[in-house]
């Protein structure tokens, strides 16, 4: 008997495919689901973009380091790099060299002032690079922590409305309750689907960005040491 | 960043469409349409105390035996039993033939006055052997025809009564009284007053134990023929009819086995032998009416009294009811026991279904004042 009733109710309520569940859901639940799907799309876009960009960045660093430590003259290297747009270590190097050149072309006499200016220039460039590396990672963190709650909100709203409908229809059969709860739970499912990759990717990408930043800082320190030695040599030559 | 967004959207679209198609409607749960199986717990009593009925018949509200093949003209029997006549009285176990003799005794009471007219004829009786009696009755009938003509009706009566008694006598035991003088009497007159002699001899033959069984069974058959003749002669009162009027039913009570009702589940001959709740309640109510429980006692629980009483089939007390449990010790307890005994005795004739006498021939009654508060 119950089985028959349930089946009749199911056939009356239509099938229970994902699309039907989504389409039968209430306005708020639908909104929540759409928002979660958009968030998922955006977070995956960030994940893909970042992972690609970090790979390219790392390759650039390796290439520059090999160039830098190849014994090539810094002047030549500066000439080749300054002509094109660079980022990462190249940008640091170019910024430092530009400050160096400007100081010596204008005939600066204070070695201490020159050293400080070069370090400032490199700091600014480093900060800009780091900012570029870590941009949009915050969105991943937000999605990772908030998406489950948003999904839960949709679920609670959906179950609330379905229970209200049951109270109105004066029926307590499981077949009446089930579709509403299923479509409400779909919101939580989508929230989790969006949040889990976002959390994982955030942890991975922020660690990667931290590593790259460490390498840039190390290079900046090293390069400023080299430049300060050069300054001392130039001053003693005179 | 554009590349990332594009790739991500494409991936999501692909996964969603794949999900819509492949994760579509899950298989509806197959709920087998099994009808719930009603399970009934049947106490053994239903069989051990089953009512009369048929073993493979469905259970019905009222017990009914297998319907009789040929529906009787009578109404459906109201009582369950083996009789052909429906009686209200409870069935009693069938007795031996002996019981039948007793029922005939009252009829035999009539003859005693007869001895006065009979003295002369009696003598012939002694010689007549048992085997002969069968022809004799035939002779007896003949002399009757002339008899009415000669003697006054008053005289005829004794003769006919004698005949009747002769017929009935086989069943009479208590009539050893025949006068000893009759024995010595001569035989010659035998043919003339054949009817009277018949009566006399019987008692004398009785004493011999071996025969009676045969002779008694034989005689009743013949008399049945005679009454027809006798009835033609005398319409006022035909003693021959006495036999026909006699209730040939067994003295046992019980209803008739006659029913047109559909048979119900039950045993072959057993009738329910347990007091129903309403009957128990009736007994309880009857007793509690007569019982004044000890009042004003703090611990009523210790005043529980159990009484055993024996009842006779009419519901009266048989012997004195006795205290089985409680009712001894302190004065209050003794008072409680006495109160219970008094109640049982005062209510004495109990109304209980006589057909279930077996179950209430001995009754244990619990008197608990705490239940009355």
């Amino acid at each position: 008997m119950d089985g028959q009733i349930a089946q009749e109710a199911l056939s009356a309520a239509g099938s229970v495919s994902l699309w039907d569940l989504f389409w039968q859901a209430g306005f708020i639940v639908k909104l929540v689901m759409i928002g979660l799907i958009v968030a998922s799309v955006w977070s995956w876009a960030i994940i893909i973009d970042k992972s690609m960009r970090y790979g390219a960045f790392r390759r650039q660093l390796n290439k520059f380091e090999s160039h830098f430590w190849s014994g090539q003259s810094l002047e030549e290297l500066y000439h080749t790099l300054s002509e094109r747009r660079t980022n990462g270590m190249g940008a640091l190097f170019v910024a430092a060299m530009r400050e160096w050149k400007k100081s010596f072309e204008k005939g600066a006499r204070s070695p201490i002032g020159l050293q400080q200016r070069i370090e400032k220039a490199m700091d600014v460039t480093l900060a800009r690079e780091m900012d570029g590396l870590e941009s949009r990672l915050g969105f991943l963190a937000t999605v990772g922590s908030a998406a489950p709650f948003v999904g839960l909100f949709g679920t609670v709203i959906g179950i609330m409305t379905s229970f209200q409908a049951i109270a109105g229809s004066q029926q307590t059969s499981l077949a009446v309750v089930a579709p509403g709860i299923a479509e409400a739970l779909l919101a939580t499912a989508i929230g989790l689907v969006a949040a889990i990759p976002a959390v994982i990717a955030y942890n991975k990408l922020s660690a990667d960005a931290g590593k790259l930043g460490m390498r840039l800082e190390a290079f900046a320190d090293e390069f400023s040491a080299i430049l300060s030695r050069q300054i001392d040599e130039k001053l003693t030559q005179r | 960043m554009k590349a990332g967004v594009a790739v991500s959207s494409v991936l999501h679209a692909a996964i969603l469409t794949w999900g819509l198609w492949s994760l579509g409607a899950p298989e509806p749960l197959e709920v087998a349409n099994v009808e719930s199986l009603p399970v009934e717990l049947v106490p053994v009593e239903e069989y051990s105390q089953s009512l009369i009925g048929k073993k493979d018949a469905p259970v019905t509200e009222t017990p009914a035996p297998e319907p009789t093949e040929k529906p009787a003209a009578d109404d459906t029997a109201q009582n369950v039993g083996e009789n052909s006549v429906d009686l209200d009285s409870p069935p009693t176990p069938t007795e031996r033939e002996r019981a039948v003799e007793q029922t005939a005794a009252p009829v035999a009471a009539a003859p005693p006055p007869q001895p006065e007219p009979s003295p002369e004829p009696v003598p012939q009786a002694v010689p007549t052997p048992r085997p002969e009696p069968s022809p004799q009755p035939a002779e007896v009938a003949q002399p009757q025809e002339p008899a009415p003509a000669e003697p006054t009706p008053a005289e005829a009566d004794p003769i006919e009564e004698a005949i009747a008694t002769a017929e009935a006598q086989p069943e009479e035991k208590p009539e050893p009284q025949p006068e000893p003088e009759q024995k010595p009497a001569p035989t010659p007159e035998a043919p003339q007053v054949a009817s009277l002699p018949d009566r006399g001899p019987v008692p004398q033959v009785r004493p011999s134990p071996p025969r009676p069984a045969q002779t008694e069974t034989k005689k009743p058959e013949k008399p049945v023929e005679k009454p027809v003749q006798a009835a033609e002669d005398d319409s006022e009162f035909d003693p021959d009819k006495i036999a026909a009027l006699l209730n040939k039913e067994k003295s046992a009570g019980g209803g008739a086995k006659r029913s047109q009702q559909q048979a119900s589940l039950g045993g072959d001959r057993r009738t329910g032998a347990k007091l129903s709740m309403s009957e128990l309640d009736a007994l309880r109510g009857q007793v509690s009416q007569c019982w004044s429980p000890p009042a004003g006692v703090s611990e009523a629980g210790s005043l529980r009294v159990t009484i055993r009483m024996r009842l006779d089939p009419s519901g009266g007390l048989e012997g004195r009811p006795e205290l089985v449990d409680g009712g001894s010790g302190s004065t209050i307890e003794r008072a409680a026991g006495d109160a219970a005994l008094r109640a049982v005795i005062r209510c004495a004739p109990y109304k209980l279904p006589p057909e279930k006498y077996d179950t209430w021939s001995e009754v244990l009654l619990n008197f608990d004042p705490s239940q009355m508060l």
Side-chain angles (χ1 to χ4, degrees):
Chain A
M1 273 309 271
D2 281 347
Q4 277 183 354
I5 291 171
Q7 280 175 356
E8 280 166 15
L10 278 183
S11 58
S15 65
V16 283
S17 70
L18 287 183
W19 182 252
D20 291 315
L21 284 183
F22 172 76
W23 208 241
Q24 290 159 17
F27 173 71
I28 296 176
V29 182
K30 243 184 249 178
L31 212 65
V32 165
M33 284 199 260
I34 290 171
L36 284 173
I37 288 172
V38 169
S40 175
V41 168
W42 185 241
S43 63
W44 272 99
I46 292 170
I47 292 165
I48 292 164
D49 181 65
K50 284 290 163 190
S51 44
M52 278 171 20
R53 193 167 291 191
Y54 285 0
F57 198 89
R58 201 174 295 119
R59 258 177 275 120
Q60 262 180 349
L61 287 194
N62 291 343
K63 197 175 162 190
F64 178 82
E65 276 187 329
S66 63
H67 277 299
F68 185 80
W69 298 110
S70 64
Q72 206 179 359
S73 134
L74 293 181
E75 293 289 334
E76 279 178 30
L77 193 59
Y78 172 68
H79 278 299
T80 56
L81 285 179
S82 62
E83 286 163 8
R84 50 183 169 169
R85 195 174 157 273
T86 57
N87 57 2
M89 282 188 195
L92 278 180
F93 173 76
V94 169
M97 284 302 285
R98 191 179 293 134
E99 189 58 44
W100 165 273
K101 289 242 177 209
K102 278 181 192 166
S103 299
F104 276 94
E105 283 167 1
K106 304 256 173 79
R109 287 288 173 271
S110 164
I112 302 165
L114 178 61
Q115 182 75 27
Q116 278 181 344
R117 279 196 300 278
I118 289 171
E119 281 184 6
K120 288 274 184 210
M122 283 209 294
D123 276 351
V124 170
T125 316
L126 183 66
R128 199 183 299 134
E129 287 298 317
M130 287 303 292
D131 197 40
L133 279 180
E134 290 178 347
S135 73
R136 300 201 182 101
L137 283 187
F139 184 79
L140 287 185
T142 308
V143 168
S145 58
F149 293 119
V150 176
L152 197 62
F153 168 72
T155 298
V156 169
I157 294 289
I159 290 180
M160 248 173 62
T161 50
S162 72
F163 272 123
Q164 280 170 348
I166 291 162
S169 72
Q170 307 280 338
Q171 279 190 28
T172 52
S173 162
L174 188 61
V176 178
V177 189
I181 292 178
E183 78 189 22
L185 287 174
L186 184 62
T188 303
I190 294 174
L192 291 175
V193 164
I196 293 171
V199 170
I200 294 173
Y202 173 74
N203 288 335
K204 171 85 168 68
L205 292 177
S206 60
D208 283 356
K211 265 186 229 163
L212 293 173
M214 288 289 287
R215 272 177 84 175
L216 285 180
E217 271 180 42
F219 172 76
D221 286 349
E222 222 166 350
F223 190 52
S224 73
I226 290 169
L227 283 183
S228 114
R229 202 186 315 127
Q230 293 269 332
I231 291 166
D232 282 354
E233 282 174 8
K234 288 222 171 177
L235 287 177
T236 49
Q237 280 174 3
R238 286 179 193 174
Chain B
M1 195 62 210
K2 275 178 189 171
V5 170
V7 171
S8 165
S9 337
V10 167
L11 273 179
H12 274 81
I15 289 174
L16 279 180
T17 47
W18 173 79
L20 287 183
W21 286 112
S22 65
L23 298 183
E27 286 289 312
L29 186 65
E30 278 301 324
V31 183
N33 243 346
V34 180
E35 282 197 24
S36 55
L37 193 68
V39 175
E40 222 176 335
L41 292 182
V42 181
V44 181
E45 289 171 14
E46 270 190 28
Y47 293 99
S48 62
Q49 308 208 341
S50 64
L51 297 169
I52 197 160
K54 206 177 165 191
K55 274 175 187 159
D56 54 353
V59 182
T60 54
E61 287 276 326
T62 53
E66 203 173 353
T68 42
E69 300 270 319
K70 205 185 291 175
D74 306 288
D75 296 336
T76 301
Q78 298 298 313
N79 302 294
V80 174
E82 304 278 342
N83 271 356
S84 58
V85 176
D86 193 19
L87 295 178
D88 276 339
S89 56
T92 56
T94 54
E95 293 173 18
R96 302 256 169 181
E97 304 255 326
R98 197 174 149 277
V100 179
E101 292 167 14
Q102 284 177 341
T103 56
V107 180
Q114 290 162 3
E116 294 137 21
S118 58
E120 306 113 31
V122 176
Q124 182 251 354
V126 185
T128 55
R130 254 319 96 177
E132 287 173 20
S134 56
Q136 274 178 359
E139 296 169 14
V140 172
Q142 292 161 359
Q144 278 175 0
E145 290 156 17
E150 297 164 11
T152 57
E155 289 175 0
D157 281 351
I159 298 170
E160 283 171 355
E161 280 181 28
I163 297 168
T165 51
E167 294 161 1
Q169 264 170 359
E171 298 162 2
E172 298 173 11
K173 262 186 188 171
E175 283 230 19
Q177 94 277 49
E179 310 85 299
E181 305 157 12
Q182 290 173 357
K183 287 180 191 171
T187 50
E189 290 178 44
Q192 295 172 356
V193 206
S195 62
L196 295 178
D198 264 355
R199 177 192 137 278
V202 181
Q204 290 165 345
V205 178
R206 228 1 109 50
S208 68
R211 277 192 204 162
Q214 293 178 349
T215 55
E216 283 170 32
T217 49
K218 272 184 191 172
K219 277 199 173 176
E221 296 170 5
K222 288 152 218 161
V224 177
E225 299 167 3
K226 263 179 269 168
V228 184
Q229 296 173 339
E232 292 164 4
D233 303 336
D234 195 343
S235 55
E236 293 174 356
F237 173 71
D238 188 355
D240 289 344
K241 276 189 176 173
I242 290 177
L245 291 173
L246 281 179
N247 185 2
K248 286 177 184 151
E249 283 298 330
K250 281 184 289 183
S251 61
K257 189 176 185 179
R258 185 170 68 230
S259 144
Q260 294 163 333
Q261 230 176 331
Q262 193 70 30
S264 70
L265 179 66
D268 282 338
R269 46 179 52 248
R270 222 176 312 191
T271 52
K274 191 181 182 186
L275 289 183
S276 67
M277 284 312 285
S278 55
E279 287 160 352
L280 283 175
D281 258 353
L283 175 63
R284 199 172 297 143
Q286 216 177 334
V287 174
S288 62
Q289 274 178 359
C290 308
W291 182 39
S292 50
V297 180
S298 58
E299 294 173 12
S302 65
L303 299 182
R304 223 169 286 144
V305 176
T306 304
I307 287 181
R308 175 190 288 136
M309 59 178 182
R310 287 190 190 78
L311 299 172
D312 57 22
S314 66
L317 277 178
E318 209 173 58
R320 192 181 147 74
E322 51 187 288
L323 281 169
V324 179
D325 188 23
S328 60
S330 68
T331 52
I332 300 172
E333 285 174 9
R334 239 175 287 140
D338 288 344
L341 281 176
R342 248 180 284 126
V344 168
I345 294 169
R346 209 191 307 164
C347 290
Y350 293 98
K351 293 175 203 124
L352 288 164
E355 64 269 15
K356 295 177 182 174
Y357 174 64
D358 284 347
T359 56
W360 52 265
S361 59
E362 187 173 306
V363 181
L364 275 180
L365 285 171
N366 286 317
F367 290 80
D368 191 351
S370 65
Q371 302 290 318
M372 298 290 285
L373 299 179

